[in-house]
Structures are given as structure tokens and as C-alpha cells.
């Protein structure tokens, strides 16, 4: 991979620009619009550089997240596969705490099915069945995504470089063994201030959330990275994301994985 291909841009410069936007809560235009040479390989390199910066500031890896696992979102973005990114402890929001608006630009919430890995998982070549056998628990989650791009307008490479629009995430109070839940049929109702916003089942996530876990293991495995025991894996939004306005309350209610509610601060 060539790090510099156009107009002085590098993977390191991409990472620094997006981290600055995150720290200052200042949205920017698409990087790929400024630098057509931004590729997925360079975007993933920028993602890893940003992770190294986070770790240098004391953050620890808690897991990974997937984006674009919904067929509808893939069609909307004009892509045919998901993307992956990192989670750290600074992104984990304890249940009951409001979303801190002073650290986010334009937060949006989406309900997700999350796995807790019981053993390491290394790709490539991992099947959905093998991925599922590595997961010890499954739980519900709400991810609060927060793009660093104005109006959430970006390309796939932009999104990958931006750590898949990472913000914060909340995992639910109910843990189930993976063999206790039919994840393709696990339903979720997303409500905002008491009104139903959307509904979906686990089949919205690549047909089955285990397919998303396998994709993540194989994608990271191709980069020489193993998914570690204890990591959280957010498998991607089951529904479209909804804006979290100050004072609003967003709830995700699952068939067997309990309920999660978060308030906009």
C-alpha cells in the first residue's frame, strides 16, 4: 500500500484530521472529496493509526464494531459488504447515564445484537457456525454513532477512516448463551419518546448476526489481527439510526435480550 498518493495526504494525516474533528466536535467535509486517492486499505490504516493514538492516551480495546451489515444500508451506500472498526473503553457508556453532548457532534442511535467472545477467533476462513461457537454470550445493545462528516455524508472509505462513525455504546442487562436464542428471529422495537420508530429482527444483519461475526473475524484476520476472548462485538444496526436530541429518550426492546433506554443529555 502506498501511504501518500495525492496532494500531501497520508493515512496519518487522515487519522489526525478525523481525531481533531472528534476532539473539537467540529464536522468536516468528506475526505475522499478532497482526496480521491483515499482507498479502503488506506482508510483501514488510518483507523489503526487513530487506535494507536487512543491507546497512547490510556484507552484500552474492548472489542470491535461492524457497519453496513443491513442490506438496506448497503444498497443506500452503494456497497455490497460491511466494514469493521474498533471499540475502546472510552466508548462504553454505563447503563443509566445520559449521552454526553459535549463529546459528540450529531449522535444517532441504532439497536444492535452484540456478542461477548468466550475464546479467541482468528480468520480468514471462519464460517458463521465457527464464529458462533466462539461466542460465549449474546446481548442487546444500543450504539450511538457520531460521524465526523457534515450531515452524515460520506463514502465507504470515509466511514472506515472515521472508525465507522464510532461514538459510544451501551450493552443490555440481559446475557444469554448463544444456543438459548434464535438470533435470526430475535426481534427489536426501537422507540423514541414513547413512539415506535422502527422494528427489525436479527435476520436484518446479513441474514444472521453470526455472519457478521464471521465477516469481522475474517476481515481482521486478513490484517493479522485475532478477535480476543472477552471482546464485545457489535454486529451492526438492525434498523436505521435515529437522531438523539437533547432531552429525548431512545429505547431498544428485544424479544429475549431485555430493554435498554438512553437519554439525550
Amino acid at each position: 500500500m502506498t501511504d501518500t498518493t495525492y496532494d500531501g495526504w497520508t493515512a496519518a494525516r487522515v487519522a489526525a484530521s478525523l481525531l481533531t474533528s472528534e476532539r473539537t466536535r467540529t464536522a468536516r467535509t468528506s475526505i475522499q472529496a478532497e482526496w480521491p486517492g483515499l482507498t479502503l486499505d488506506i482508510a483501514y490504516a488510518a483507523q489503526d493509526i487513530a487506535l494507536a493514538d487512543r491507546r497512547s492516551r490510556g484507552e484500552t480495546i474492548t472489542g470491535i464494531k461492524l457497519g453496513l451489515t443491513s442490506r438496506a444500508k448497503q444498497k443506500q451506500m452503494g456497497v455490497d459488504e460491511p466494514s469493521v472498526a474498533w471499540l475502546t473503553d472510552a466508548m462504553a457508556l454505563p447503563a443509566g447515564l445520559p449521552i454526553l453532548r459535549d463529546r459528540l457532534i450529531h449522535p444517532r442511535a441504532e439497536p444492535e445484537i452484540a456478542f461477548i467472545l468466550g475464546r479467541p477467533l482468528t480468520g480468514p476462513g471462519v464460517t458463521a457456525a465457527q464464529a458462533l461457537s466462539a461466542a460465549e454470550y449474546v446481548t442487546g445493545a444500543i450504539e450511538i454513532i457520531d460521524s465526523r462528516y457534515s450531515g452524515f455524508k460520506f463514502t465507504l472509505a470515509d466511514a472506515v477512516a472515521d472508525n465507522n462513525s464510532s461514538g459510544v455504546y451501551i450493552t443490555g442487562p440481559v446475557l444469554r448463551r448463544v444456543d438459548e436464542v434464535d438470533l435470526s428471529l430475535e426481534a427489536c422495537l426501537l422507540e423514541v419518546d414513547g413512539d415506535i420508530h422502527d422494528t427489525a429482527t436479527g435476520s436484518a444483519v446479513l441474514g444472521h448476526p453470526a455472519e457478521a461475526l464471521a465477516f469481522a473475524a475474517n476481515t481482521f484476520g486478513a490484517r493479522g489481527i485475532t478477535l480476543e476472548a472477552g471482546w464485545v462485538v457489535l454486529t451492526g444496526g438492525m434498523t436505521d439510526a435515529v437522531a438523539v436530541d437533547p432531552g429525548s429518550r431512545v429505547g431498544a426492546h428485544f424479544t429475549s435480550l431485555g430493554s435498554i433506554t438512553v437519554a439525550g443529555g
Side-chain angles (χ1 to χ4, degrees), residues 14-15 17-23 26-29 31 38 42-48 50 54 65 83-86 91 105-106 143 145-150 152-167:
V14 170
S17 176
L18 290 168
L19 284 171
T20 297
S21 291
E22 180 179 333
R23 291 167 186 160
T26 304
R28 56 157 296 133
T29 57
I31 289 176
L38 179 66
I42 295 172
Y44 276 119
Q47 192 184 97
D48 290 344
R54 297 178 195 278
K65 64 193 290 297
S83 55
V84 295
W86 295 101
M91 301 173 192
I105 301 171
H106 37 202
E143 183 182 10
I145 58 175
D146 188 41
S147 173
R148 263 54 68 178
Y149 301 111
S150 300
F152 271 80
K153 295 181 179 179
F154 46 76
T155 67
L156 177 60
D158 282 323
V160 167
D162 192 32
N163 203 51
N164 277 1
S165 303
S166 59

Side-chain angles (χ1 to χ4, degrees), residues 18-265:
L18 290 168
L19 284 171
T20 297
S21 291
E22 180 179 333
R23 291 167 186 160
T24 61
R25 296 181 60 243
T26 304
R28 56 157 296 133
T29 57
S30 158
I31 289 176
Q32 194 161 53
E34 297 180 28
W35 181 31
L38 179 66
T39 65
L40 278 178
D41 283 345
I42 295 172
Y44 276 119
Q47 192 184 97
D48 290 344
I49 291 167
L51 176 68
D53 181 273
R54 297 178 195 278
R55 297 182 73 181
S56 74
R57 289 183 274 123
E59 296 181 35
T60 59
I61 297 171
T62 55
I64 61 163
K65 64 193 290 297
L66 289 100
L68 298 170
T69 52
S70 160
R71 298 299 188 193
K73 287 189 177 182
Q74 288 181 7
K75 184 176 181 180
Q76 182 181 38
M77 290 291 295
V79 300
D80 58 4
E81 68 176 34
S83 55
V84 295
W86 295 101
L87 296 174
T88 72
D89 59 338
M91 301 173 192
L93 182 68
L97 292 185
I99 299 168
L100 301 178
R101 298 285 302 194
D102 61 354
R103 63 175 284 191
L104 301 174
I105 301 171
H106 37 202
R108 297 182 182 183
E110 55 187 29
E112 306 199 14
I113 289 173
F115 290 112
I116 312 298
L117 295 182
R119 61 175 177 81
L121 189 59
T122 305
V126 173
T127 66
Q130 291 169 335
L132 200 60
S133 71
E136 186 170 12
Y137 297 108
V138 62
T139 188
I142 292 180
E143 183 182 10
I144 309 299
I145 58 175
D146 188 41
S147 173
R148 263 54 68 178
Y149 301 111
S150 300
F152 271 80
K153 295 181 179 179
F154 46 76
T155 67
L156 177 60
D158 282 323
V160 167
D162 192 32
N163 203 51
N164 277 1
S165 303
S166 59
V168 296
Y169 69 97
I170 309 101
T171 52
V174 177
L175 291 176
R176 299 286 191 210
R177 296 282 182 179
V178 292
D179 60 359
E180 295 177 336
V181 183
D182 186 337
L183 291 176
S184 64
L185 295 179
E186 179 71 12
C188 179
L189 182 152
L190 179 67
E191 57 99 357
V192 182
D193 296 329
D195 296 326
I196 297 174
H197 178 78
D198 207 348
T199 61
T201 66
S203 62
V205 182
L206 296 181
H208 193 290
E211 295 286 355
L213 178 56
F215 177 89
N218 292 330
T219 302
F220 276 107
R223 294 158 59 190
I225 299 167
T226 292
L227 308 189
E228 300 293 346
W231 277 9
V232 176
V233 180
L234 300 180
T235 58
M238 300 169 70
T239 70
D240 284 339
V242 60
V244 183
D245 298 320
S248 68
R249 297 186 69 84
V250 177
H253 309 288
F254 295 85
T255 304
S256 59
L257 298 176
S259 295
I260 310 163
T261 302
V262 64

